[in-house]
Amino acid sequence: MFIPDPTRSEVVTKIESIFERIADALLNEKNEVEITLSSRNGTAESPTKTYTGVVSSATRVRTRTVSFPGSTPEDAWRFSVVVRILELVHEALLTNVVWTKRDIYYRDPALFGKQAVVDRYVDDIACTFGAPRSFLNIVCWTSFLESSASGLADMRVLQTAAAKGLVAGAFRLHKRDGSEVDGLSDREGILIPSMRDVLSVNMNCVQWIVVIEKEASFRCLTASTFWDKLATRGIMITGKGYPDISTRALLRFLSSSSPQNGFMSPPVYGLMDLDPDGLAILSTYKHGSSALAHENAALVVPEMRWLGLRNAHLTDQDNAHQAQGLLSLTSRDRRKARRMLEYAAFAEGGGEPEWRREVQVMLMLNLKAELQLLETLPNILGDMLEDGKEKPRVT
Amino acid sequence: MSKQYLQTHTISSAHPTDIFSLAVTAAHILSASGSSSLRVHSTASAANPDTEDPYPLTQTLEGAHKLGAHHICASRDGKRAASAGFEGSVKVWEVDESGAWRSIGAIVDNAKSGEVWAIALSEDGKYLAGTSYDGRINIWDVSTPGAEGGGKKIREFETKGSFGMSIDISPDGALTASGHASGSIYIFSNSTGRLVHSLPGLLKPVRAVTFSPGCRYIAAAGDSKVVALYDVRSGEQVANLSGHRSWVMSLDWSTTGEWLLSGAHDGKAKVWSIERRECVATQTESEKTLWAVKWLPKTAGMRNETFATAGANRSISFYREASGT
């Protein structure tokens, strides 16, 4: 018997009915809510090859349920992961935008923990709906790259859908469709556009670019009087954590001299939390990511400097631990920090001896700190940027 | 009444990056840093005021810890040393008659706790105690090199799970003490394996613990900035030494037990009189963190107390008590 593939709109309907069920369960104060997933046992091939939903003898379909709250924290977490992915898939389908599994991961790395979790549940969800992954609007990154291999040298081809970064400041982007984007038009910043759509930029007044790790810090800065004074002189950009390709591509475009950007190459500074992830994010901007090593050359910002937070910014005043939002490193932080000491840039004799030292000091102090928004930021940024001079510590 | 100390010598750029830990024997001062090599400087000729280079570099233990080393300790008998690296393992070292150090084994804690952090050797170098992230205190028998790698784990003390940041073994070998990120300080009996005391008073990370030479007291300090002094037998706090305005990173007791040395995050080193329970000297070379401070053992020919400090300025500085005080 032939079972037709669900169409994309059917997938949307199915997801919405799951959400309705969850909402019902919550409203009626049920004790538990469940989602049943099917997964293919043992086959690693992409679902596009096995899409009919007809069970063949070669691949067995297992079912299991994820439930909330479940009987362990892991159960609850699994449920959250599935719901989050369903939500993102729903968004992708409604906005008619294509995502990669990597995009999904970077929307919520704190929840997912690692890429493999996303990979596995995306496949399970696709299997459950009896749809190929492409019907969820999720494509495989390598096949996407292969199809644009010839355009690798051209940054503007390197786009990812679902761009999440924000940018604000003294620039005007000229787009292919003739429209213009003014970096000062929205106080909260504008969504980073795909480089595919960008023709050129006018940024003659830009004296510096500051890359901010977190969205919260970005919004806080753009809402401050500090930004009132400096917005006409620079650009702020955030990738909301680990940056996606769009963010990195735009940053590269704004900071590397080319005819399209008016031959500007302003200094680029990074403002991240003082923790292993913050430094790893800085390293992604500056040196590239190991996952996408082959196109790093078009995306790296090798002159980028680490403005803060540094260990030197920590104070040991009496209520320092609370006032600065000082926290202890978690065991995950420590493992990540140790692994980072083996990365090329951080290794002994590698390109960033200061970074290596800061990671070691993080491990010694066992402390991490978040950019406590308005209080520390103006201090770190203000003197430096207003004078146009650098503090000697910046590397 | 205060004491005067003079800086007598500095080994500048002893390491290419922060020096995190020091260990001393009668003949050597060993240093561990963020670089992969440990360094050994001789202290033998320091007593002679005419020596041009009182602390010559006698050995570089290359590649000891690929990711850098954070702790180093020596047995009081001067024959053994141990170093802990950021990669998570501990190397045990032995010195021969010519004064050369070589590695005789390595310890990797494969248990869930993972990395070995702070370490201490017993006086005779037979036992190594180490802390871990989950608060466990492990003791290894390292007396027979080659057997079971670097050593065989003979004890595991479990605590409430807070990161163990500092450790010391009492000179008589009877007790092991640990200081934790939660502010807890525990003293265990090495013979019974039982918890003897849980010491009150410090609420923030305890970065240093040290038994007095006579095992009568234990001093502990850290982010609370005060140095707390406890009676080992009763577990009672007998003094609070205040004066530091910054996190205390390191403590060391002088061989006579009269003085306590402390080093802090703001670069200041302090000498405390145990009898008078107060600070008698403060030395500041720079504002850079002092990760390690150590008294040099008094040897023949050395009339005055000498101590060494090291830290973020990458140098090892030596201070000697000025004569006449």
Side-chain angles (χ1 to χ4, degrees):
Chain A
M1 183 179 114
F2 176 69
I3 301 169
D5 300 328
T7 62
R8 283 181 172 78
S9 62
E10 282 171 2
V11 173
V12 169
T13 311
K14 285 188 188 197
I15 295 178
E16 284 173 357
S17 69
I18 292 176
F19 288 164
E20 271 175 30
R21 244 191 325 115
I22 295 173
D24 273 344
L26 291 172
L27 284 169
N28 295 324
E29 294 179 9
K30 295 255 173 70
N31 285 336
E32 201 165 68
V33 63
E34 280 182 352
I35 299 176
T36 303
L37 288 178
S38 326
S39 61
R40 232 163 279 282
N41 203 355
T43 56
E45 63 222 327
S46 89
T48 48
K49 293 190 202 151
T50 54
Y51 68 95
T52 61
V54 173
V55 175
S56 72
S57 55
T59 63
R60 277 175 300 125
V61 173
R62 283 181 311 149
T63 56
R64 61 199 166 90
T65 2
V66 289
S67 48
F68 188 87
S71 43
T72 65
E74 279 76 34
D75 286 345
W77 169 74
R78 254 177 239 122
F79 187 87
S80 313
V81 165
V82 170
V83 168
R84 186 80 172 108
I85 295 178
L86 286 173
E87 184 200 354
L88 294 169
V89 165
H90 186 259
E91 182 184 329
L93 287 169
L94 285 188
T95 55
N96 201 21
V97 146
V98 164
W99 296 42
T100 66
K101 290 199 273 194
R102 212 177 104 84
D103 290 327
I104 297 212
Y105 171 72
Y106 281 118
R107 281 297 284 251
D108 213 334
L111 170 66
F112 296 125
K114 44 185 185 182
Q115 181 68 52
V117 168
V118 169
D119 295 352
R120 186 249 185 109
Y121 283 104
V122 163
D123 286 346
D124 287 355
I125 288 170
C127 178
T128 307
F129 290 152
R133 215 171 31 208
S134 58
F135 276 31
L136 305 180
N137 265 21
I138 298 177
V139 296
C140 171
W141 176 247
T142 52
S143 64
F144 176 75
L145 266 188
E146 279 155 18
S147 65
S148 60
S150 58
L152 275 176
D154 180 352
M155 234 177 344
R156 290 178 289 179
V157 175
L158 289 170
Q159 87 125 48
T160 152
K164 59 179 170 127
L166 294 172
V167 63
F171 64 89
R172 284 184 106 77
L173 285 172
H174 302 280
K175 298 179 78 173
R176 274 183 200 281
D177 63 6
S179 65
E180 273 188 8
V181 178
D182 179 354
L184 294 172
S185 57
D186 186 340
R187 202 177 171 112
E188 306 213 321
I190 56 171
L191 267 182
I192 287 177
S194 160
M195 283 306 301
R196 210 198 275 272
D197 302 330
V198 172
L199 269 184
S200 66
V201 66
N202 185 327
M203 51 182 282
N204 297 329
C205 298
V206 170
Q207 295 172 12
W208 39 260
I209 300 177
V210 175
V211 178
I212 313 244
E213 176 189 346
K214 301 217 291 243
E215 178 180 3
S217 313
F218 179 91
R219 293 203 184 283
C220 198
L221 267 176
T222 52
S224 71
T225 51
F226 165 81
W227 188 236
D228 287 338
K229 282 183 280 178
L230 293 178
T232 50
R233 290 199 254 154
I235 292 176
M236 277 212 300
I237 191 168
T238 179
K240 297 185 189 174
Y242 284 92
D244 59 14
I245 303 258
S246 286
T247 307
R248 293 174 61 196
L250 181 69
L251 178 64
R252 169 97 182 175
F253 177 59
L254 294 173
S255 60
S256 326
S257 173
S258 73
Q260 287 82 13
N261 83 343
F263 299 104
M264 297 289 289
S265 52
V268 180
Y269 301 102
L271 210 45
M272 1 289 297
D273 288 348
L274 178 62
D275 60 23
D277 277 308
L279 200 41
I281 287 169
L282 176 75
S283 187
T284 302
Y285 280 107
K286 182 170 181 179
H287 294 295
S289 65
S290 51
L292 300 169
H294 42 271
E295 27 79 340
N296 274 334
L299 296 174
V300 293
V301 185
E303 299 300 316
M304 187 168 176
R305 281 161 265 200
W306 184 17
L307 191 49
L309 286 176
R310 314 277 300 244
N311 280 298
H313 292 122
L314 299 181
T315 68
D316 46 24
Q317 301 303 323
D318 274 327
N319 57 347
H321 280 254
Q322 300 105 296
Q324 286 175 93
L326 279 187
L327 294 170
S328 296
L329 296 182
T330 63
S331 67
R332 180 190 164 273
D333 289 330
R334 294 191 70 89
R335 277 198 307 274
K336 180 157 183 90
R338 273 206 303 284
R339 275 200 311 272
M340 282 165 68
L341 288 174
E342 306 199 51
Y343 295 173
F346 291 81
E348 192 169 46
E352 305 281 4
E354 283 288 320
W355 294 10
R356 178 183 174 80
R357 186 253 171 194
E358 297 278 323
V359 171
Q360 289 171 335
V361 170
M362 257 188 246
L363 286 168
M364 291 298 293
L365 292 178
N366 197 47
L367 292 171
K368 58 182 178 180
E370 296 183 3
L371 276 176
Q372 280 298 62
L373 310 181
L374 273 184
E375 267 176 56
T376 20
L377 286 175
N379 295 335
I380 300 174
L381 281 175
D383 300 330
M384 212 211 82
L385 298 176
E386 294 211 15
D387 299 336
K389 282 184 234 141
E390 292 172 36
K391 278 198 166 53
R393 266 202 290 270
V394 175
T395 50
Chain B
M1 218 186 78
S2 63
K3 283 161 79 75
Q4 296 282 348
Y5 285 88
L6 304 169
Q7 188 176 77
T8 55
H9 190 74
T10 298
I11 308 171
S12 311
S13 307
H15 285 257
T17 183
D18 289 44
I19 299 172
F20 292 124
S21 186
L22 293 172
V24 293
T25 65
H28 294 130
I29 179 163
L30 301 100
S31 48
S33 75
S35 80
S36 58
S37 305
L38 305 169
R39 282 165 175 79
V40 182
H41 290 83
S42 160
T43 56
S45 41
N48 180 352
D50 299 324
T51 333
E52 255 186 48
D53 188 4
Y55 302 101
L57 175 72
T58 55
Q59 209 177 350
T60 303
L61 303 170
E62 304 258 3
H65 296 281
K66 200 179 71 161
L67 306 184
H70 49 77
H71 281 86
I72 189 164
C73 60
S75 58
R76 222 165 281 241
D77 68 4
K79 297 197 181 115
R80 287 268 176 95
S83 58
F86 286 101
E87 81 290 347
S89 68
V90 173
K91 280 194 170 157
V92 183
W93 307 84
E94 201 171 61
V95 68
D96 64 25
E97 296 91 28
S98 70
W101 291 85
R102 62 184 180 90
S103 169
I104 55 172
I107 288 171
V108 180
D109 188 4
N110 291 318
K112 262 175 58 184
S113 4
E115 56 175 334
V116 182
W117 189 247
I119 49 174
L121 278 169
S122 59
E123 187 162 83
D124 53 15
K126 286 206 179 113
Y127 302 106
L128 173 80
T131 67
S132 63
Y133 182 79
D134 65 2
R136 255 181 265 241
I137 312 295
N138 297 306
I139 306 209
W140 290 270
D141 178 335
V142 293
S143 53
T144 47
E148 314 221 10
K152 184 177 164 213
K153 192 188 289 193
I154 56 166
R155 276 234 185 277
E156 198 173 276
F157 302 127
E158 285 206 22
T159 70
K160 289 224 179 85
S162 168
F163 182 31
M165 303 186 83
S166 49
I167 195 164
D168 195 20
I169 300 179
S170 61
D172 59 11
L175 304 168
T176 298
S178 62
H180 297 255
S182 58
S184 308
I185 305 163
Y186 301 109
I187 302 185
F188 291 93
S189 158
N190 292 328
S191 49
T192 67
R194 288 233 167 93
L195 178 71
V196 173
H197 290 304
S198 170
L199 303 176
L202 290 177
L203 302 167
K204 293 199 183 135
V206 179
R207 299 187 183 273
V209 289
T210 178
F211 283 99
S212 64
C215 305
R216 185 171 167 203
Y217 296 116
I218 182 166
D223 292 5
S224 304
K225 305 179 193 173
V226 288
V227 179
L229 206 58
Y230 302 87
D231 179 290
V232 170
R233 199 169 307 171
S234 66
E236 293 208 356
Q237 189 164 1
V238 297
N240 251 354
L241 307 174
S242 27
H244 273 299
R245 297 219 199 100
S246 174
W247 304 328
V248 179
M249 296 290 159
S250 177
L251 288 174
D252 194 38
W253 224 295
S254 73
T255 27
T256 58
E258 288 172 271
W259 317 105
L260 192 59
L261 173 65
S262 60
H265 185 61
D266 61 1
K268 296 198 198 293
K270 283 180 180 286
V271 178
W272 310 82
S273 157
I274 295 300
E275 193 193 324
R276 296 204 299 278
R277 310 278 165 95
E278 63 179 16
C279 174
V280 294
T282 303
Q283 297 295 135
T284 314
E285 188 186 329
S286 75
E287 280 177 11
K288 299 208 171 153
T289 304
L290 285 182
W291 295 109
V293 293
K294 272 270 187 269
W295 292 100
L296 295 194
K298 243 186 180 160
T299 52
M302 246 172 70
R303 273 177 298 126
N304 295 334
E305 303 263 0
T306 303
F307 66 82
T309 65
N313 63 358
R314 311 169 181 181
S315 316
I316 306 175
S317 297
F318 295 87
Y319 297 84
R320 193 184 61 233
E321 190 191 342
S323 308
T325 56

